[in-house]
Amino acid sequence: MGFGKFNFLFICALFLLCFISSYYSQFTPADSYSINCGSPTNTTIGNRVFVSDNLASSYLSTPQNVLVDTSANSIPVSEYSQLYSTARIFSQTSSYSFKISQPGRVWIRLYFYPFSASNYDLKSAKFSVSTRDHALLSEFSSGDRLVKEYSVNVTSGDLEIMFTPSGNSFAFLNGLEVVSVPDMLIGDVAASVDHPASFRGLLGQALETVARVNVGGPTVTSRNDSLSRTWVPDSGFLKNPGLVSNVSNVNSVRYPPGGATPDDAPRSVYGTTVRMASETNPKSNFNVTWEFRVDQGFRYLIRLHFCDIVSSAPNQLYFNVYIDDSVVLPDFDLSTIFGGFLATAYFSDFVTPSMNIDRIRISVGPSGLPKVYPNAILNGVEIMKMNNSDGSLSGKDIVVSSKTSKSKVGVIVGVVVGAVVVLLLIFVLFFVYKRRTEQKRLNQSKIWIPLSTNGLSLTMGSKFSNGTTITSGSNYSYRCPFPAIQEATNNFDESGVIGIGGFGKVYKGVLSDGTKVAVKRGNPQSQQGLAEFQTEIEMLSQFRHKHLVSLIGYCDEKNEMILIYEYMEKGTLKSHLYGSNYPSMSWKERVEICIGAARGLHYLHTGYSKAVIHRDVKSANILLDENLMAKVADFGLSKAGPEIDQTHVSTAVKGSFGYLDPEYFRRQQLTEKSDVYSFGVVLFEVLCARPVIDPSLPREMVNLAEWAMKWQKKGQLDHIIDGSLNGKIQPDSLRKFGETAEKCLSDFGVDRPSMGDVLWNLEYVLQLQEAVLQNDTNGNSTNVIGELSPQIHGFNNSGDENLDTNSNTNVGQFEMSSGDDVSGVSMSKVFSQLGKSEGR
Ligand SMILES: *[C@@H]1O[C@H](CO)[C@@H](O)[C@H](O)[C@H]1NC(C)=O
Ligand SMILES: *[C@@H]1O[C@H](CO)[C@@H](O)[C@H](O)[C@H]1NC(C)=O
Ligand SMILES: *[C@@H]1O[C@H](CO)[C@@H](O)[C@H](O)[C@H]1NC(C)=O
Ligand SMILES: *[C@@H]1O[C@H](CO)[C@@H](O)[C@H](O)[C@H]1NC(C)=O
Ligand SMILES: *[C@@H]1O[C@H](CO)[C@@H](O)[C@H](O)[C@H]1NC(C)=O
Ligand SMILES: *[C@@H]1O[C@H](CO)[C@@H](O)[C@H](O)[C@H]1NC(C)=O
């Protein structure tokens, strides 16, 4: 019955909204210690009891120390005044130890208030603080009251916090907390600020809270935060306070299933924001910027919290988010993330490169999209310093204004209306739980599996010098010893560099058996590079196809990240189109290259149980062998998709400017159709032989995709084609090519053809060119039928007819010539199309 069903859904929705928050505020830390140092009595602050380390002395492993106190009226009023009247002083190395019953991340909070006592001026103290794995503070002295917060992943059963005085000085401490962090709070993966590949490995990082800010609202104290954190107002960080308005609507905040939770940030953070003060000026064009002091030489995890409480309808607010000069969320539209719901809590994580300046700037500003009212928001910011390669967090210490604490906020008890409610609740919790664990598993499943266990088996002759131990046998492991690579590249001789990319340099090399190879050597310092390196090996070891560049081996010895590919004699497609001295290619050659690349992409999209999205299709990633056969390269950004991209960590748009799918831009949803879009841009690039973005041209010509679409829509594409092709393309062939590219560039992915359709259309473009030539007296054309017939396969079968599973393949050899490229297309389709066009 319709009404009953509606009723049920309505109740479900109601309970989703009512109970999710109560579910999450029930987090109870497995381990929780609060200590009031040097105090004779226990102290209650909010819901927390800070126990006296005199009474509970078992935590303190070295009792040679002094208690001091100061008169209560000299202490400035704050949440933690009660901790500040006493301190414990250590004149030699001492430590607190805590039993950790549940391994995982814990917060360590250190409370310092340097008062003057009879024999000690705490301001003169100088000391270091560390755990077994991480230095937290070194040569630290404190001029003012401050709280330091760290979170470290404890894998053993106890946590020891050591205080080491410097020289003849001493250490002091007023308060200390060690408390479990919810597992879900910090994931393993975050987008990289300056790099397309995600940063992985956050779980093992020690973090120090540098800032925790409630943007556009007042201080949120530990009592209003389910994890007892303190959020400070943003006014101290805001660069241009005159340009913003505060907005507050705390009650409208929703925590959607699968999105942020009240543990990520409370309502009082998501429910306040600043917006651009653009209400009266629809031409406003400025950024709102916050600036944070940081230590140089460290990377930082930045968590940005958003909740659109300013829009009245979906798709009103599009804005850009920048970290320093990088745009990290372009044309960001919050309303699309949760299916059009406004006021939903959302956050996004980013990892910066190692900082070489002492500040981080976060800016929001209007998107450049036409017909969008200029506005931008930000609700909250957290900045966390990541440990350096020595495991240390101590730089030159900076004063942190975050004041934090912990308490168990009482469980919010929901209204229980009988057994039905309980059942619904269980259903909801189960759903949320399942979804979260699935997301977690998804993140974890991206951990690199070594190639040898990947079911990869390729038999190749030994390509490396005999001095090194490479066995040629059935289960060739692909892992090459470093000396063999040094030998092949003449010890990475700079004269052999054939390319430089974001990942590192590419060298030409020759293996001991004479095979030419391209050796890509990653910068060992770059963490992001590691993720790409692993993706590339994973991808290339699973996908072997004659139109995908083959991986011959890799090397991960001594922190090296080296990939060895087959050498592609003729370089990139891009270099043949413009900007170098290669002779101009004929139309037939160009279309054949497009067909080859399309075939490689079609295989990626369909040749495997799960579609793989390349994500960086461009003419510079299409390589040509000595016969001008095209192979798609550079799988560093590839993803098995599309579902992986639905987690919050992957929202930073990746790819190359000028080729990016606008829909992916807007919706951050990745599908194969994003590759189709980029490929459409490549088609126009091939036709027009000019860069996809050329800022030196007049405004309307800068972006090739826009420019070419304009002429294509007018039916006058021939006005802008490469001059060397003038008069050499058959009109039908050009028309079909233009139509194909146009369809690829459709605004919406659903309107774009599949890569298989594109491939088929390009085959047809070629036939249209050839068929007419045959009828001409032009003698150098080939016989279409003769060329097609030996290779006919049902194209629609799966497109994987070229799958190279042959275990005897010598990867360096190219058994096919470009003429064979028309293989794999259904003859009947071609001829039915030919027949139709002739009948017109
Ligand atoms: C202080 O707290 C500790 C730990 O909870 C407890 O064992 C002790 O009895 C308390 N002492 C007083 C005087 O309340
Ligand atoms: C702690 O680190 C280990 C190993 O790096 C990881 O498996 C685990 O998930 C981490 N735990 C948390 C809560 O981050
Ligand atoms: C916005 O709110 C913050 C915190 O309540 C306050 O400090 C600031 O002055 C407000 N700014 C404006 C422009 O009203
Ligand atoms: C903090 O919580 C109290 C009730 O517990 C509430 O009255 C107050 O408005 C909250 N403050 C903020 C800033 O949300
Ligand atoms: C906003 O900041 C970014 C990054 O610094 C900059 O590229 C952009 O031009 C700025 N926009 C405006 C309108 O100032
Ligand atoms: C942080 O320290 C851990 C060891 O505790 C280490 O594995 C990791 O690589 C360090 N992080 C960085 C960015 O060096």
Side-chain angles (χ1 to χ4, degrees):
M1 201 175 97
F3 179 72
K5 195 169 171 190
F6 169 77
N7 227 357
F8 176 78
L9 285 178
F10 179 73
I11 291 172
C12 277
L14 205 75
F15 280 100
L16 265 173
L17 294 179
C18 294
F19 283 102
I20 300 276
S21 65
S22 55
Y23 166 62
Y24 282 113
S25 61
Q26 289 177 28
F27 170 74
T28 317
D31 297 290
S32 173
Y33 302 93
S34 306
I35 310 278
N36 187 354
C37 304
S39 168
T41 56
N42 294 348
T43 307
T44 304
I45 297 178
N47 300 37
R48 288 169 288 175
V49 178
F50 282 77
V51 303
S52 148
D53 59 358
N54 263 348
L55 299 176
S57 56
S58 61
Y59 301 131
L60 202 52
S61 61
T62 42
Q64 305 92 333
N65 50 65
V66 187
L67 310 185
V68 288
D69 56 18
T70 184
S71 69
N73 56 17
S74 66
I75 301 168
V77 177
S78 81
E79 257 182 301
Y80 300 107
S81 304
Q82 289 158 279
L83 292 181
Y84 293 146
S85 63
T86 59
R88 190 169 284 274
I89 290 179
F90 308 102
S91 52
Q92 47 187 281
T93 300
S94 308
S95 61
Y96 285 91
S97 305
F98 302 96
K99 199 174 144 325
I100 300 296
S101 61
Q102 185 181 307
R105 202 171 268 283
V106 299
W107 271 309
I108 299 173
R109 293 181 183 134
L110 306 174
Y111 297 81
F112 297 108
Y113 176 58
F115 56 77
S116 274
S118 44
N119 293 327
Y120 293 92
D121 178 5
L122 301 190
K123 285 193 174 72
S124 68
K126 199 171 181 195
F127 56 100
S128 303
V129 182
S130 58
T131 66
R132 273 185 222 118
D133 301 323
H134 304 286
L136 305 182
L137 289 168
S138 43
E139 304 287 310
F140 169 75
S141 51
S142 166
D144 202 357
R145 169 172 61 105
L146 76 109
V147 181
K148 288 271 190 185
E149 182 188 86
Y150 304 87
S151 77
V152 299
N153 182 343
V154 179
T155 44
S156 62
D158 68 330
L159 173 67
E160 190 178 11
I161 301 168
M162 269 159 295
F163 292 80
T164 311
S166 311
N168 290 330
S169 191
F170 59 92
F172 80 97
L173 186 66
N174 304 78
L176 170 64
E177 263 188 296
V178 170
V179 54
S180 308
V181 177
D183 281 349
M184 290 304 181
L185 196 67
I186 309 270
D188 194 46
V189 189
S192 300
V193 169
D194 66 331
H195 203 274
S198 301
F199 179 92
R200 287 162 206 279
L202 284 173
L203 287 183
Q205 289 285 318
L207 302 170
E208 176 186 339
T209 308
V210 174
R212 184 175 289 129
V213 178
N214 177 22
V215 179
T219 300
V220 177
T221 64
S222 58
R223 293 170 199 228
N224 287 60
D225 180 283
S226 63
L227 301 175
S228 304
R229 294 162 299 192
T230 302
W231 302 71
V232 302
D234 65 311
S235 32
F237 307 100
L238 188 59
K239 296 290 284 178
N240 31 17
L243 299 179
V244 303
S245 318
N246 286 345
V247 181
S248 167
N249 190 352
V250 174
N251 291 330
S252 68
V253 174
R254 274 187 264 236
Y255 290 101
T261 72
D263 284 348
D264 294 321
R267 258 170 218 286
S268 38
V269 170
Y270 281 119
T272 62
T273 187
V274 299
R275 54 162 293 167
M276 284 172 69
S278 59
E279 293 95 330
T280 54
N281 181 4
K283 294 213 153 52
S284 300
N285 186 20
F286 56 81
N287 289 334
V288 180
T289 299
W290 294 263
E291 189 172 289
F292 301 87
R293 294 273 140 217
V294 296
D295 289 345
Q296 298 184 26
F298 290 88
R299 310 182 74 164
Y300 289 83
L301 169 63
I302 299 178
R303 175 167 291 185
L304 302 179
H305 297 272
F306 298 99
C307 183
D308 182 358
I309 54 170
V310 305
S311 293
S312 52
N315 308 109
Q316 269 180 3
L317 176 64
Y318 292 85
F319 59 106
N320 289 344
V321 182
Y322 307 88
I323 294 179
D324 289 324
D325 287 330
S326 308
V327 55
V328 292
L329 294 168
D331 302 323
F332 188 43
D333 177 8
L334 281 158
S335 67
T336 57
I337 294 172
F338 295 106
F341 280 101
L342 294 172
T344 41
Y346 179 80
F347 67 85
S348 219
D349 285 345
F350 303 93
V351 170
T352 69
S354 175
M355 297 301 293
N356 53 19
I357 47 172
D358 65 355
R359 53 139 189 93
I360 289 177
R361 276 203 181 134
I362 294 169
S363 311
V364 296
S367 84
L369 295 177
K371 297 194 195 123
V372 170
Y373 200 91
N375 197 3
I377 62 164
L378 180 63
N379 304 60
V381 178
E382 289 174 274
I383 299 188
M384 287 162 266
K385 187 201 260 183
M386 293 163 54
N387 68 255
N388 65 18
S389 54
D390 303 329
S392 170
L393 281 165
S394 68
K396 202 161 61 44
D397 289 302
I398 49 169
V399 174
V400 179
S401 54
S402 73
K403 287 177 256 120
T404 44
S405 70
K406 85 118 226 157
S407 87
K408 263 182 270 177
V409 160
V411 172
I412 302 163
V413 183
V415 188
V416 178
V417 202
V420 180
V421 172
V422 175
L423 280 177
L424 276 171
L425 188 57
I426 290 169
F427 163 76
V428 167
L429 296 189
F430 174 73
F431 169 72
V432 172
Y433 171 76
K434 202 169 158 226
R435 177 136 183 184
R436 291 218 126 201
T437 35
E438 256 164 34
Q439 282 190 2
K440 196 174 174 193
R441 209 197 56 231
L442 262 179
N443 287 348
Q444 286 169 348
S445 69
K446 290 299 290 176
I447 289 165
W448 182 32
I449 307 153
L451 269 178
S452 42
T453 65
N454 235 5
L456 179 88
S457 61
L458 244 212
T459 314
M460 299 195 303
S462 170
K463 291 180 175 298
F464 303 103
S465 89
N466 300 338
T468 56
T469 50
I470 292 274
T471 48
S472 63
S474 50
N475 258 319
Y476 187 74
S477 78
Y478 261 89
R479 187 173 266 160
C480 312
F482 186 64
I485 300 168
Q486 278 179 307
E487 186 191 302
T489 56
N490 207 355
N491 201 13
F492 300 101
D493 187 17
E494 289 294 304
S495 67
V497 173
I498 51 175
I500 298 177
F503 176 92
K505 289 183 179 166
V506 185
Y507 301 81
K508 184 175 176 178
V510 183
L511 299 182
S512 56
D513 69 349
T515 312
K516 285 188 210 157
V517 291
V519 176
K520 185 151 115 181
R521 186 186 199 193
N523 174 0
Q525 260 78 56
S526 117
Q527 273 283 347
Q528 306 103 314
L530 182 62
E532 274 196 40
F533 177 68
Q534 293 168 355
T535 309
E536 182 124 18
I537 296 175
E538 274 174 31
M539 291 294 165
L540 281 175
S541 54
Q542 287 169 30
F543 300 95
R544 303 196 61 77
H545 186 273
K546 84 172 165 154
H547 292 291
L548 301 181
V549 158
S550 304
L551 185 69
I552 292 178
Y554 72 94
C555 172
D556 56 0
E557 279 170 33
K558 301 193 220 148
N559 283 333
E560 289 285 349
M561 294 187 291
I562 297 176
L563 296 166
I564 306 166
Y565 306 92
E566 59 179 317
Y567 182 69
M568 298 294 284
E569 195 75 48
K570 292 270 169 71
T572 67
L573 167 60
K574 185 178 178 178
S575 65
H576 285 260
L577 293 173
Y578 48 86
S580 67
N581 295 327
Y582 285 113
S584 174
M585 293 187 296
S586 72
W587 182 237
K588 179 178 178 230
E589 282 170 334
R590 294 183 202 209
V591 176
E592 280 170 347
I593 288 166
C594 293
I595 289 172
R599 191 163 284 154
L601 290 171
H602 174 59
Y603 170 69
L604 272 186
H605 291 174
T606 60
Y608 190 60
S609 59
K610 194 191 272 172
V612 168
I613 303 163
H614 184 286
R615 299 221 292 172
D616 200 11
V617 174
K618 55 181 176 181
S619 58
N621 281 341
I622 297 172
L623 303 184
L624 304 174
D625 74 3
E626 69 270 35
N627 298 317
L628 289 183
M629 184 168 89
K631 298 193 180 212
V632 179
D634 214 335
F635 295 82
L637 299 186
S638 306
K639 281 208 171 203
E643 59 274 34
I644 287 177
D645 226 44
Q646 285 166 3
T647 63
H648 67 265
V649 293
S650 313
T651 51
V653 172
K654 326 251 160 113
S656 294
F657 198 47
Y659 295 93
L660 268 184
D661 171 9
E663 193 178 36
Y664 174 37
F665 241 69
R666 281 195 304 269
R667 300 169 48 93
Q668 324 232 330
Q669 220 190 44
L670 189 65
T671 69
E672 303 95 293
K673 295 295 177 70
S674 303
D675 282 352
V676 173
Y677 183 92
S678 308
F679 190 73
V681 180
V682 171
L683 292 180
F684 279 131
E685 203 181 350
V686 164
L687 183 67
C688 305
R690 54 151 279 190
V692 293
I693 299 286
D694 188 344
S696 67
L697 292 172
R699 167 70 199 94
E700 72 276 15
M701 296 176 66
V702 169
N703 185 323
L704 171 63
E706 274 173 29
W707 178 238
M709 282 295 272
K710 202 168 135 190
W711 290 96
Q712 165 63 21
K713 290 212 165 101
K714 283 197 269 187
Q716 298 177 332
L717 204 52
D718 52 323
H719 284 59
I720 58 162
I721 64 173
D722 183 3
S724 69
L725 294 174
N726 267 336
K728 304 218 173 102
I729 309 180
Q730 294 306 320
D732 278 346
S733 178
L734 178 60
R735 182 181 45 76
K736 189 77 196 165
F737 189 86
E739 284 169 12
T740 308
E742 181 182 4
K743 285 201 202 100
C744 293
L745 295 189
S746 300
D747 280 342
F748 298 100
V750 289
D751 300 330
R752 294 175 205 148
S754 71
M755 221 49 231
D757 294 335
V758 174
L759 172 55
W760 188 83
N761 277 293
L762 290 173
E763 299 277 11
Y764 183 45
V765 166
L766 188 65
Q767 300 309 316
L768 286 171
Q769 178 78 4
E770 300 278 284
V772 183
L773 282 183
Q774 268 189 307
N775 297 339
D776 284 359
T777 46
N778 189 339
N780 66 9
S781 75
T782 48
N783 180 316
V784 178
I785 298 179
E787 207 174 67
L788 277 169
S789 42
Q791 294 284 343
I792 304 301
H793 295 268
F795 165 67
N796 283 330
N797 283 350
S798 67
D800 65 354
E801 71 278 6
N802 292 315
L803 176 58
D804 184 0
T805 48
N806 182 342
S807 62
N808 287 317
T809 303
N810 181 332
V811 183
Q813 302 278 308
F814 308 110
E815 70 284 13
M816 301 289 197
S817 73
S818 60
D820 296 322
D821 253 335
V822 289
S823 65
V825 68
S826 153
M827 280 300 282
S828 60
K829 272 195 175 180
V830 171
F831 287 113
S832 75
Q833 279 276 348
L834 278 173
K836 262 189 256 159
S837 78
E838 273 164 14
R840 270 181 209 148

